[in-house]
DNA sequence: TCTTGACCTGTTATAGTATTACATACATAG
DNA sequence: CTATGTATGTAATACTATAACAGGTCAAGA
């Protein structure tokens, strides 16, 4: 079973990701400011996809600005830097579990508990790009999202 | 090159799809009412992804209700019946070019002209489901959307 | 040191997307 | 004919996202 779906020490995996993020940003000369860092933490702690307004609410409760752009800007930054992903289907955001590694994930979204896992699908993406190329279409960005039931919710049902 | 990207007699392909839709609905005992049919026609005529409010505006101009639910209900119906697809990335809808055939399309969305083509990717979907199954995840629905440049816009650029 | 310029944050206002809830009409089976 | 399910119309509202501008911070160079 995939780690995301297993019981695991969550504070540990979140801490790891955060440390990796800080290292990456330092390396790139990008600024992981307090708001941005806090947003990343929020996403990591939640361990599921959060809407921009969910994030905003938490930020506001901690004394940061409480207007939408505050959340959207931080989220956009994280997405640009590959520290988070946007889940189109949910109008929501989730922390990236493999920041730094170049990866082409598919997202598996549980309909019941909203957990989001990243599945590695590099070959699938290559196949899609090949198919598109045959049609004369030049692919820029791909989003691959599947909904269904995660192992836990499947057992519960 | 893929037919969607070629110059073609558009009223013809639209008429075809409409006839196929009516046959399908009759077969299933589902009701392709005037609003629903008109919405499908609108999507077919546009031949690109339209937002719900674009559709609504056209409906209203023809004497149908002019409140959002009128458009959303018809669109939801068409999507359920497989006569249209929702393009998450654009918050928009497009007529299905292969209604009735079971298919698992990927959508190729041109960033410049917003044309949307369906690429056949059944094997890709199968590969994804296999990968998900290995993680214990039961896939229900998949959405696979790529943005980039269609042949025409690529040449123009 | 001072200034400049780039970038980040905050705020107001507004645009765009979607749903809830309820009332009315319409078709078909009994 | 009438009861039932389904479709449509409308009002109100919720949710998601962006534009535009003001003020603050910080580092590089004069």
């Amino acid at each position: 079973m995939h780690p995301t779906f297993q019981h695991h020490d969550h504070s540990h995996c979140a801490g790891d990701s955060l440390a990796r993020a800080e290292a990456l940003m330092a390396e790139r000369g990008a600024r992981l400011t307090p708001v941005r860092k806090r947003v990343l933490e929020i996403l990591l702690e939640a361990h599921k996809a959060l809407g921009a307004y969910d994030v905003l609410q938490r930020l506001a409760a901690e004394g940061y600005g409480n207007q939408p752009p505050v959340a959207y800007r931080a989220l956009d930054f994280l997405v640009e830097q590959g520290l988070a992903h946007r889940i189109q289907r949910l109008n929501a955001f989730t922390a990236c579990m493999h920041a730094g590694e170049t990866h082409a994930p598919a997202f598996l979204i549980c309909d019941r508990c909203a957990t989001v896992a990243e599945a590695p699908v590099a070959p699938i993406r290559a196949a899609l790009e090949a198919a598109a190329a045959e049609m004369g279409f030049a692919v820029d960005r791909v989003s691959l999202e599947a909904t269904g039931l995660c192992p836990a919710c499947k057992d519960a049902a």
Side-chain angles (χ1 to χ4, degrees), chain A:
Chain A
M1 190 184 294
H2 191 267
T4 300
F5 294 134
Q6 287 178 324
H7 228 273
H8 58 283
D9 179 348
H10 190 43
S11 59
H12 183 265
C13 78
D16 262 21
S17 293
L18 197 56
R20 214 161 38 233
E22 297 199 276
L24 251 177
M25 291 305 94
E27 194 179 305
R28 289 185 197 160
R31 296 171 56 193
L32 192 60
T33 61
V35 211
R36 292 169 175 174
K37 182 171 167 184
R38 188 65 195 116
V39 169
L40 180 55
E41 284 172 8
I42 288 169
L43 291 180
L44 284 166
E45 285 161 11
H47 208 277
K48 58 171 197 152
L50 292 182
Y53 282 74
D54 294 329
V55 172
L56 180 57
Q57 200 177 318
R58 286 167 170 80
L59 285 179
E62 297 173 22
Y64 293 97
N66 69 343
Q67 298 303 316
V70 174
Y72 279 103
R73 284 194 287 234
L75 289 166
D76 289 348
F77 170 86
L78 295 174
V79 169
E80 265 166 35
Q81 295 293 328
L83 300 177
H85 297 291
R86 177 178 214 131
I87 310 296
Q88 305 277 353
R89 188 135 192 150
L90 303 176
N91 293 321
F93 301 82
T94 186
C96 175
M97 292 302 140
H98 309 90
E101 311 164 32
T102 59
H103 64 306
F107 298 104
L108 305 179
I109 306 161
C110 180
D111 283 324
R112 270 172 85 114
C113 67
T115 297
V116 176
E118 295 182 36
V121 289
I124 292 180
R125 180 163 307 227
L128 172 65
E129 293 203 19
E134 247 178 57
M135 294 167 52
F137 189 96
V139 170
D140 175 26
R141 313 185 65 106
V142 176
S143 95
L144 180 39
E145 302 177 357
T147 57
L149 290 179
C150 73
C153 292
K154 192 170 47 174
D155 289 350

